[in-house]
Amino acid sequence: MATDSLRSRFAHLPVGMYQTTPGPQGRFLDANAALAEILGAASVDELLGHPPASFYLQPSNRDDFHGRVRAHGAAREEFCLLTLDGRLAWVVKAAQYREVPGFGTVIEGTLEDVTDSRVVEQRLTLALDAGGLGVFELDPLTGSVAVDGRLLTLYGLSDPEDLASYEQWRSMVLPEDLPDTEAAVHHASAKTSYWDVTFRIMRPDGACRTVRSFGRQLLGVDGAPVRQVGINEDITDRQEAEDRLLAQKQWLEEAQQIARLGYWVSYPRGDHAHGALWWSEMVYAIFGQDPEQFTPSIEAFYALVHPADRDAVDTAIRNADRHGGFSVEHRILRPDGDVRWVSELGRVIYGEEAQVDRVIGVVQDITEQRALREELAYHAAHDPLTALFNRRQMRLRLEQAYAAYQRHGTPFALILLDIDRFKQLNDAHGHVSGDQVLRQVAEAMDTALRTEDTASRWGGEEFLILLERSDQEPAAELAERLRMLIAESIFEVHAETMRTTVSAGVAAIKPGLSLDDLISRADQAMYRAKAAGRNQVVVWGREGL
C-alpha cells in the first residue's frame, strides 16, 4: 500500500478520503488532508495515529454502519462524530470493501462535513447569491434564531436582533397562514425531516410579501431535534404574475413550481472535458440519479446532456478558463426518459500560477420556468380570441418587412379586411355570437393563406394580412379569393347558420412610402370598398385612389 496515494491524488478535494483495515480494531491506512481537517487533526500523520472507532460517540453507530457495508458491499449514512479538537461534527460517510492485490481487504470511503465546512459554505454562498435566498438557523430548545443579511432584507429588517427569536418571526407571519406553516414544519420534525411551505409576512414598512420556506430538521444522537436549518425566498412578484395570468387567461391551473438548486465542484484536466466531479444531493435529484449507483465525472455529465445541446455546453465549459466562469442553459436526459431544462452557472477557482484548480457552480431545474416563458411569449404575441397575431406583434413583423424592403428592395403588400355590418350582427345575436364569427372568419382565412403570409387581428372586426415577397397584383388576387371564400362560407352560431361578407383594401409598398402611409392606404382602400356597397376589394392606385 502506498502511504501517500490518497494524499497526493486527492490533496485538494474538499471531501475526506480514507482507507482502513476492517474489523472492530481497524486502523487507518491512508487519508487525505480534508479528512484530517474534518476530524480535527493537525496533519494526516496525526490522524493516522488514532483508531477510527475513537471518533464515534456511540460504538453501535460504527457497528451498524459496517454491518450494512458487509451486507450490501457499500453503505452511506449521516452521523455525529467527536473530533480530536473536541467538536461535534455532523458528517455524511460512505464506504465500501475493496480487495487490494498483495494486501487483502480494505475499507475505502469518503467523509463529508455537513456542519460548518468552509468549502460547503463557499458553495452555499454561490447558490444563495444566484437564487437571492436568505438562510436561517433555529434552536428548537431555546427558540433563538440566527439569520443572514439576505433574509433580513427579505423581511424588511436591518438589525439581526429584530429577528433573533422564533416568536419574533411568528409575529410577522399573517395569522391566517400561521397554522398551516407551523403544521408543515412540525410534520417535518416528526416525519420527514424536510419541509417546504409558502406563507405571507407583513413587513415593518407595511408591505405584504409571499415567502417560500424550505429546509430540514437536524436530529441529535438520541433522535431529538437539535436545530432547524432552512432557506427563505421572496416569491411575491412571481406569485402576483401567476395570479394575474390565471385571472386574465384562465388557462393555468397552477403556475411554475419554484426551481430546485444544487451545487457541484469539478476538477477538470487539460481541455476541461475530463476530470473528477462532485455533486450535492440536490444535483442527484435534478438529474434523477441514485447516489448509491451513479458516480459523477465530467465525462459522465456530458453523457447526460441532450445531444442537441452538447456543443453549446462544451463551448461554454471550454471557454470558462478565459472568462473566469460560464453560464449556460441546456437539456438533460434522465434515466426515466424525462427531458428537463437546467441552468448551469460555474465559477473558476485558480490555484498557483493562475492555473485552474477547480470549478464550483450551481445547477437549477428551470423546466417549468422555460415552459411558462414560452406560454407568456405566445399570449403576448397572439390575440386570445382568434389565435392570430395581435396588433403589437403584427407591427413588429411589418417593421421587419419594411427594413428588408429598405435594405434589399424586397417587396411586400398589405390586405386590410373588415367584416361587413358586424355591429348589427352583435346587436342582433349578442357578443358571444360575434366572437364565434370572428373565430370562424380567422379560420377560413387561414386555409387560403400561403405559409409565408402573416395574418393578424388588427382591431375589433379588422384583420390585417402581410404578404412578404409580393407586389400589388398577387395581393389583390388573394384579397378577392378571401372575399369570395368568406361570402360563400356558412358560419355556425349557437346551432344556427348565417353568412357574412368582408370589405378589403389592398396596398403595396412603393419607393418613398413610409410604413404608416402604406397602412393608411390599405385602410382608405378598405373604407372605399365599404362606401361602394361592401363585399368588395379596392386596390390603392385604382378606382380613383
Side-chain angles (χ1 to χ4, degrees):
M1 298 288 291
T3 57
D4 63 343
S5 59
L6 293 182
R7 301 188 205 189
S8 61
R9 284 188 292 139
F10 302 105
H12 300 293
L13 194 69
V15 177
M17 307 283 292
Y18 65 88
Q19 288 181 340
T20 69
T21 59
Q25 305 303 318
R27 60 186 177 84
F28 281 113
L29 296 172
D30 198 2
N32 67 346
L35 189 75
E37 181 180 351
I38 291 171
L39 295 180
S43 67
V44 173
D45 291 333
E46 179 186 354
L47 175 66
L48 298 184
H50 294 267
S54 66
F55 295 95
Y56 289 86
L57 291 176
Q58 296 185 7
S60 61
N61 286 344
R62 185 178 186 275
D63 295 341
D64 292 344
F65 178 77
H66 285 280
R68 282 186 285 278
V69 176
R70 286 192 297 273
H72 304 290
R76 188 172 186 268
E77 193 170 326
E78 183 175 307
F79 325 51
C80 189
L81 299 180
L82 179 62
T83 66
L84 293 177
D85 55 4
R87 292 179 293 108
L88 289 177
W90 280 93
V91 298
V92 174
K93 181 178 181 180
Q96 65 180 6
Y97 280 104
R98 188 168 77 87
E99 292 296 324
V100 178
F103 184 85
T105 303
V106 300
I107 298 174
E108 287 188 338
T110 62
L111 202 70
E112 180 186 0
D113 188 341
V114 295
T115 52
D116 199 23
S117 167
R118 172 175 53 83
V119 174
V120 169
E121 215 169 273
Q122 185 181 46
R123 299 175 195 148
L124 182 58
T125 298
L126 177 61
L128 297 175
D129 287 341
L133 310 174
V135 179
F136 69 89
E137 182 175 325
L138 168 67
D139 184 335
L141 299 180
T142 65
S144 63
V145 178
V147 302
D148 68 357
R150 301 178 193 85
L151 195 135
L152 282 175
T153 300
L154 191 157
Y155 279 73
L157 303 170
S158 57
D159 188 348
E161 293 301 318
D162 291 334
L163 198 58
S165 72
Y166 178 76
E167 289 302 319
Q168 287 173 310
W169 168 82
R170 200 172 184 272
S171 69
M172 297 187 70
V173 180
L174 294 192
E176 55 267 37
D177 292 354
L178 194 57
D180 287 344
T181 303
E182 292 188 314
V185 177
H186 176 74
H187 179 76
S189 302
K191 301 289 184 183
T192 65
S193 83
Y194 291 91
W195 74 82
D196 189 341
V197 64
T198 299
F199 55 88
R200 292 166 296 170
I201 61 170
M202 185 61 70
R203 301 196 331 180
D205 59 6
C208 180
R209 308 297 291 179
T210 302
V211 176
R212 181 200 179 196
S213 176
F214 47 100
R216 66 177 300 184
Q217 178 88 13
L218 300 181
L219 305 179
V221 176
D222 58 356
V226 294
R227 61 177 175 149
Q228 294 175 354
V229 179
I231 293 174
N232 280 189
E233 179 182 10
D234 186 338
I235 61 169
T236 307
D237 295 340
R238 182 187 308 152
Q239 194 70 47
E240 290 176 353
E242 292 172 357
D243 292 343
R244 287 195 298 270
L245 190 61
L246 285 169
Q248 294 172 3
K249 305 300 181 182
Q250 298 181 350
W251 58 269
L252 287 176
E253 294 182 356
E254 182 175 347
Q256 67 176 22
Q257 297 296 317
I258 300 173
R260 297 173 299 168
L261 201 67
Y263 55 92
W264 49 264
V265 181
S266 70
Y267 299 86
R269 301 192 307 267
D271 60 359
H272 292 258
H274 302 83
L277 179 64
W278 180 91
W279 279 358
S280 70
E281 290 187 7
M282 185 55 73
V283 181
Y284 284 100
I286 291 172
F287 280 74
Q289 299 293 337
D290 183 351
E292 303 293 340
Q293 304 294 328
F294 181 80
T295 301
S297 68
I298 296 178
E299 296 90 335
F301 160 75
Y302 270 107
L304 300 176
V305 175
H306 193 286
D309 297 340
R310 283 176 190 160
D311 286 345
V313 173
D314 187 59
T315 299
I317 292 177
R318 289 177 184 274
N319 291 334
D321 189 6
R322 185 168 67 236
H323 301 298
F326 70 90
S327 176
V328 64
E329 292 185 1
H330 62 88
R331 288 162 291 179
I332 59 172
L333 303 173
R334 290 166 50 105
D336 59 5
D338 194 16
V339 178
R340 308 289 292 178
W341 274 97
V342 298
S343 174
E344 301 263 9
L345 176 66
R347 179 185 297 170
V348 177
I349 304 300
Y350 296 95
E352 296 180 359
E353 299 180 359
Q355 296 297 310
V356 176
D357 180 68
R358 63 192 181 276
V359 182
I360 60 175
V362 294
V363 58
Q364 186 177 26
D365 187 331
I366 59 169
T367 306
E368 285 74 26
Q369 290 93 320
R370 282 188 66 97
L372 184 58
R373 287 204 305 263
E374 290 171 2
E375 292 283 1
L376 288 170
Y378 177 85
H379 286 284
H382 291 79
D383 170 55
L385 180 63
T386 63
L388 299 176
F389 277 152
N390 57 26
R391 187 184 187 107
R392 177 179 174 276
Q393 187 66 21
M394 186 59 162
R395 181 74 191 195
L396 294 175
R397 290 297 181 93
L398 292 173
E399 290 171 355
Q400 292 169 0
Y402 188 70
Y405 171 72
Q406 289 183 308
R407 287 195 301 269
H408 310 296
T410 307
F412 68 97
L414 302 181
I415 301 172
L416 185 62
L417 290 160
D418 187 274
I419 299 176
D420 294 328
R421 299 184 175 87
F422 189 73
K423 183 178 183 304
Q424 291 90 324
L425 186 152
N426 270 336
D427 293 343
H429 300 279
H431 289 282
V432 174
S433 298
D435 289 348
Q436 289 183 299
V437 170
L438 285 170
R439 279 194 294 268
Q440 293 178 54
V441 167
E443 292 169 359
M445 286 184 353
D446 189 57
T447 64
L449 297 180
R450 304 173 303 171
T451 303
E452 60 267 33
D453 298 335
T454 304
S456 69
R457 186 179 177 192
W458 192 243
E461 65 272 23
E462 288 185 343
F463 300 89
L464 183 62
I465 301 171
L466 165 64
L467 290 80
E468 298 186 67
R469 297 180 179 84
S470 178
D471 54 25
Q472 183 171 281
E473 291 309 315
E477 293 172 4
L478 175 59
E480 180 60 23
R481 287 199 303 273
L482 290 172
R483 182 198 66 77
M484 294 176 59
L485 174 64
I486 294 170
E488 295 169 357
S489 298
I490 299 175
F491 300 99
E492 296 183 2
V493 178
H494 296 308
E496 297 182 7
T497 60
M498 67 172 58
R499 294 179 181 274
T500 190
T501 61
V502 295
S503 298
V506 178
I509 191 65
K510 301 294 182 183
L513 194 64
S514 71
L515 181 58
D516 287 335
D517 288 341
L518 176 63
I519 296 171
S520 176
R521 286 186 175 186
D523 187 63
Q524 292 178 53
M526 182 271 291
Y527 276 105
R528 176 65 65 89
K530 291 275 191 185
R534 299 183 178 85
N535 192 23
Q536 295 186 35
V537 174
V538 171
V539 180
W540 180 273
R542 301 178 186 171
E543 305 170 29
L545 283 175

